[in-house]
Amino acid sequence: MKSTYWTTGIVAMGLFFGCSTSSLDKVNPNQVTTDNYYKTADELLKGVNSVYAVWQSANLTGREWFFLNDLRSDDVATGGGQLEAPRSQILIGAQNPTNAVAFSVWNGLYRTIHRANVVIDNGLALKDNTTLAKRVVAEAKFLRALAYFDLVTLFGAVPLYSDYVTEVNGTKAKSSVDEIYTLLTTDLLATQTDLPASFSGTDLGRATKGAAQALLARVYMQKGDYASAKTQLQAIISSGTYKLTDEYTDNFIEETEFNSESIFEIGFSLIGGFNWDADGNDNGANENMTRSQEYSAIGWRNLIPSEGLLAEYEHTAKGDTKTDPRLKYNFYFIGDTYNNGLNTLMDSQVQGNTSVFNGTAQKISWRKYTAMYKNNETFYTSGINMRLIRYAEILLMMAETENETGNSANAITLLNQIRARKSVAMPAYPTARYPVNSKDEVLRAVMHEKRVEQAGEQIRNRDILRWRAQSKFKTDPISYFVKGKQELLPIPQQELDNNSKLTQKDQNPGY
């Protein structure tokens, strides 16, 4: 699966832009269109591969998606003047409707939805190899749901397309948040029947039943429906399909992809270079991704861990009984070794800002998802897969649901499973810093454990949205937060200008 996205992305250009409006009535007779394609299950399979290709693209997990989600959290700080203005604006809450990063992600998500809708609509009518067709349609519904979940959590009420658009005037007005969540729930329940528990070989990376259950659990939790989320999470746990890896870092390096903890990840590899095409189309195999280059200590270092995140880790200098080893697993400090132990990181190699940690100003950089562990290349684009859902998150979500549904003792047991990972081996709860004598204290431990375990994994921003909506914070974790504005990003101005069903009145509050 890792090396097939680019080929089908090329096919998709002909498929999805070969349609014309009836008013123009201009169709290239040599162009492949949806009228003369999707006649076999094999063609349908290539179509869904093109949906995965968009998720791998520069607009989404290849670059802009992880930036946007991290910038909306309190996990990151600016690495220095090298951080581009559109990214800096989001980081400090000064974004406006013309922000290029937000618009790139918006475009990527809707291109995903459009391609997925083509597959779904054509696949439902296909008579050739109906078993494969059902599976492919289920994959497309999962990928569409993944896109809509990002849209509804980042932008709120947005246009809802459940069929593919065939003409320019086929745009739609905004649908409510409830309508979007209804589609997500319906799709993710339906897909579980047709998605397998696992894949192997070249099919690794495709959506599975566990991925659909996990995404649906996220949906239910954002809605505050903890009982329904618990059902989905328990199904994943009871399946026995997944388990925590002994080594925490196995979840963020290239050599241990698709491991026992992986539920859904987007494939990349060291083939060619980085594909800058916004839709994942290309004229050759370019399978790299930019996360390492953008965050690495010897790369651009555009974003660094925030001081608040660093302080969240238990460490003996603050009186804890043990320093959490995830502090070093997630971040590079000056003096650490890298490149398989052959090099030592020096201050002169690292550009940009310092962070105050343990009372000392020092340059601390992201280690998670960077390729420095095995090379000494500056500005290196890597082949490390993006793990979008892993089993540790399932246990952490289950802990939250257990606590919210009156089973705090079960929640503590689940949290301690995370801490008992062989390479982590942190003292079990309760600890002096995190007592767990009440529901509120257990939630505080959940918040802590989830933050240190999943730092920089594009999870924290949605957690903040959920806990803020449920009044779980005494002090909002986002320093610039303004109620009635900063809950959502602005609808991109280009969407308001180009969508005939939208006006400036449809812009989100505060923009």
Side-chain angles (χ1 to χ4, degrees):
M1 192 65 181
K2 289 182 71 173
S3 60
T4 59
Y5 294 149
W6 69 274
T7 56
T8 53
I10 300 169
V11 172
M13 284 296 288
L15 295 178
F16 305 124
F17 295 97
C19 300
S20 68
T21 65
S22 57
S23 58
L24 294 174
D25 195 25
K26 293 180 180 179
V27 177
N28 182 347
N30 298 314
Q31 186 87 51
V32 177
T33 72
T34 52
D35 292 331
N36 55 30
Y37 202 73
Y38 294 121
K39 302 303 182 185
T40 68
D42 182 63
E43 290 177 345
L44 195 70
L45 184 63
K46 291 177 180 177
V48 81
N49 286 352
S50 76
V51 189
Y52 287 100
V54 185
W55 266 108
Q56 189 200 42
S57 71
N59 273 356
L60 295 182
T61 60
R63 192 167 192 249
E64 304 299 0
W65 180 86
F66 62 77
F67 264 119
L68 184 62
N69 282 279
D70 283 346
L71 290 164
R72 289 282 288 168
S73 77
D74 58 347
D75 273 357
V76 297
T78 176
Q82 70 273 19
L83 184 67
E84 297 163 311
R87 307 183 199 287
S88 179
Q89 290 165 6
I90 297 170
L91 181 62
I92 64 174
Q95 67 275 349
N96 60 46
T98 63
N99 185 274
V101 177
F103 182 57
S104 292
V105 174
W106 173 282
N107 262 354
L109 295 172
Y110 271 109
R111 298 292 177 87
T112 297
I113 291 162
H114 180 60
R115 291 186 178 185
N117 283 340
V118 174
V119 172
I120 294 165
D121 289 357
N122 284 278
L124 293 174
L126 198 67
K127 303 302 181 184
D128 168 61
N129 195 343
T130 55
T131 299
L132 178 58
K134 286 181 180 179
R135 193 205 82 193
V136 170
V137 168
E139 289 181 60
K141 286 185 175 181
F142 170 82
L143 295 170
R144 181 175 72 179
L146 195 64
Y148 270 125
F149 184 64
D150 263 13
L151 284 165
V152 75
T153 52
L154 290 169
F155 299 95
V158 296
L160 182 63
Y161 299 92
S162 55
D163 300 293
Y164 75 95
V165 178
T166 58
E167 52 188 26
V168 173
N169 62 2
T171 56
K172 293 189 176 183
K174 290 167 66 172
S175 293
S176 69
V177 168
D178 285 343
E179 288 173 316
I180 296 165
Y181 276 132
T182 296
L183 177 69
L184 292 177
T185 303
T186 301
D187 275 357
L188 291 170
L189 284 171
T191 59
Q192 293 177 29
T193 301
D194 297 320
L195 290 173
S198 62
F199 287 97
S200 61
T202 57
D203 284 325
L204 285 171
R206 295 190 183 278
T208 62
K209 181 178 182 178
Q213 292 168 328
L215 182 55
L216 182 54
R218 285 181 178 177
V219 169
Y220 283 136
M221 289 180 72
Q222 290 303 116
K223 293 175 62 181
D225 185 353
Y226 284 98
S228 295
K230 183 176 176 179
T231 299
Q232 299 299 312
L233 295 167
Q234 187 59 60
I236 298 170
I237 294 169
S238 299
S239 73
T241 305
Y242 310 100
K243 66 177 182 178
L244 299 176
T245 60
D246 288 345
E247 295 298 325
Y248 175 79
T249 54
D250 279 355
N251 295 295
F252 316 106
I253 62 175
E254 191 171 6
E255 291 76 14
T256 48
E257 295 164 344
F258 302 118
N259 59 41
S260 64
E261 194 165 331
S262 173
I263 296 179
F264 185 67
E265 55 191 80
I266 300 295
F268 294 91
S269 64
L270 286 176
I271 297 174
F274 178 64
N275 179 8
W276 286 98
D277 185 87
D279 292 334
N281 306 307
D282 199 17
N283 293 317
N286 289 296
E287 296 288 311
N288 293 193
M289 67 97 70
T290 65
R291 174 65 179 262
S292 182
Q293 174 179 279
E294 298 288 0
Y295 287 20
S296 170
I298 57 174
W300 284 114
R301 200 169 176 260
N302 279 310
L303 293 176
I304 59 176
S306 68
E307 292 180 359
L309 174 59
L310 293 168
E312 190 74 22
Y313 286 84
E314 296 157 81
H315 48 284
T316 53
K318 290 291 185 180
D320 295 303
T321 58
K322 180 183 177 182
T323 295
D324 191 332
R326 289 170 293 189
L327 180 68
K328 283 297 188 82
Y329 294 154
N330 285 327
F331 313 113
Y332 275 116
F333 291 72
I334 301 302
D336 285 347
T337 60
Y338 65 101
N339 189 20
N340 294 314
L342 298 176
N343 297 88
T344 299
L345 187 63
M346 298 181 292
D347 187 88
S348 59
Q349 294 176 276
V350 184
Q351 69 170 335
N353 292 342
T354 60
S355 306
V356 176
F357 180 67
N358 282 345
T360 302
Q362 51 191 303
K363 291 177 181 176
I364 305 172
S365 312
W366 284 98
R367 177 174 180 171
K368 183 178 283 186
Y369 282 123
T370 67
M372 285 176 57
Y373 71 93
K374 63 177 180 178
N375 67 49
N376 189 30
E377 295 185 44
T378 306
F379 309 124
Y380 179 83
T381 55
S382 78
I384 302 173
N385 287 4
M386 285 290 289
R387 280 74 157 184
L388 268 61
I389 310 173
R390 60 187 179 94
Y391 188 58
E393 183 188 355
I394 303 305
L395 298 178
L396 289 165
M397 288 196 293
M398 190 61 161
E400 185 177 343
T401 61
E402 291 281 26
N403 191 50
E404 291 296 326
T405 55
N407 299 295
S408 294
N410 289 349
I412 296 166
T413 299
L414 289 159
L415 292 176
N416 285 334
Q417 284 187 45
I418 300 291
R419 292 169 73 85
R421 189 195 299 262
K422 287 185 179 180
S423 57
V424 174
M426 285 295 290
Y429 291 117
T431 67
R433 188 171 172 184
Y434 292 98
V436 286
N437 299 312
S438 66
K439 179 181 177 180
D440 286 346
E441 287 183 347
V442 173
L443 176 62
R444 180 169 170 262
V446 168
M447 290 178 169
H448 163 74
E449 199 64 32
K450 199 167 192 190
R451 193 175 187 193
V452 298
E453 172 73 18
Q454 293 197 276
E457 293 183 42
Q458 299 76 55
I459 300 294
R460 175 70 176 173
N461 57 319
R462 282 190 294 267
D463 286 344
I464 290 173
L465 290 172
R466 179 173 70 260
W467 293 328
R468 178 188 289 142
Q470 297 172 359
S471 302
K472 300 294 189 184
F473 295 124
K474 293 181 179 179
T475 302
D476 200 278
I478 303 297
S479 60
Y480 61 76
F481 177 70
V482 175
K483 188 175 181 179
K485 176 180 180 179
Q486 297 292 356
E487 293 90 346
L488 300 171
L489 290 168
I491 302 296
Q493 188 60 45
Q494 284 183 262
E495 179 69 20
L496 296 178
D497 292 342
N498 295 333
N499 186 333
S500 62
K501 305 299 193 303
L502 298 179
T503 70
Q504 291 299 324
K505 292 181 180 179
D506 292 303
Q507 183 56 272
N508 284 330
Y511 299 102

